[in-house]
Amino acid sequence: MLCAPITSQMAACEALQSAAKSVEEMKREYQRRRNFVIERLNEIGLRCVHPHGAFYAFPSIKNTGLSSIDFADKLLKEKKVAVVPGVAFGEDYDEYIRISYASSFMNLKEAFERIESFVNPVREPRSLTATFSNGVNSVRSPS
């Protein structure tokens, strides 16, 4: 019969006895990430409700006009952010994507900057108009 070394047994006992604090810290961190992800998705215009399990958000991409495969493919190619097309979970979910928030908070912040620029690209104004005190309008193209 083979027995684990005493030091390993003691380490396992310590981990089991003191894990509660670490587990609570991780739960708080995942809640922080989840709240950030859901808030940012809704700010960007991708409606999403709070998930009750796992490490995933499942926002609607309906207002983008893209299928979930096109959205995921373009987001990956253009912004280097990976998401799972909703259609991977069934044909009824083609207006959704799945986003994991198991990554670091800093990675999530960067990813959402990229997602926002993908969903809501910055558009330059076509022209700027200024009205002078004499009532004359001056139009110039942006540089």
Side-chain angles (χ1 to χ4, degrees):
M1 177 134 189
L2 195 58
C3 188
I6 189 69
T7 54
S8 297
Q9 292 178 34
M10 291 174 65
C13 287
E14 179 63 27
L16 289 171
Q17 292 171 354
S18 63
K21 181 180 177 187
S22 296
V23 168
E24 285 305 312
E25 288 173 9
M26 277 309 302
K27 279 176 58 177
R28 280 192 300 277
E29 179 58 23
Y30 279 115
Q31 288 171 346
R32 179 175 92 125
R33 293 178 198 174
R34 180 199 60 207
N35 293 341
F36 171 78
V37 166
I38 301 308
E39 182 178 315
R40 289 293 284 134
L41 285 166
N42 286 301
E43 285 174 358
I44 291 168
L46 301 178
R47 189 183 62 76
C48 190
V49 297
H50 275 268
H52 294 287
F55 313 109
Y56 307 104
F58 208 64
S60 171
I61 58 163
K62 184 177 181 176
N63 63 359
T64 68
L66 297 171
S67 71
S68 63
I69 290 177
D70 288 342
F71 186 98
D73 188 53
K74 289 180 181 201
L75 182 62
L76 182 60
K77 287 179 180 173
E78 294 176 19
K79 300 296 180 177
K80 308 295 187 244
V81 175
V83 298
V84 178
V87 75
F89 304 97
E91 291 180 23
D92 293 340
Y93 301 104
D94 196 29
E95 294 178 344
Y96 297 87
I97 56 169
R98 185 177 82 167
I99 297 176
S100 171
Y101 51 88
S103 188
S104 73
F105 194 79
M106 288 184 62
N107 285 346
L108 291 171
K109 287 177 72 173
E110 175 64 28
F112 275 93
E113 291 299 319
R114 295 178 186 192
I115 292 169
E116 183 173 29
S117 71
F118 175 76
V119 173
N120 301 316
V122 177
R123 294 184 177 92
E124 292 185 345
R126 294 185 186 173
S127 66
L128 302 174
T129 304
T131 304
F132 297 99
S133 58
N134 65 0
V136 176
N137 289 339
S138 173
V139 179
R140 67 177 174 87
S141 294
S143 44

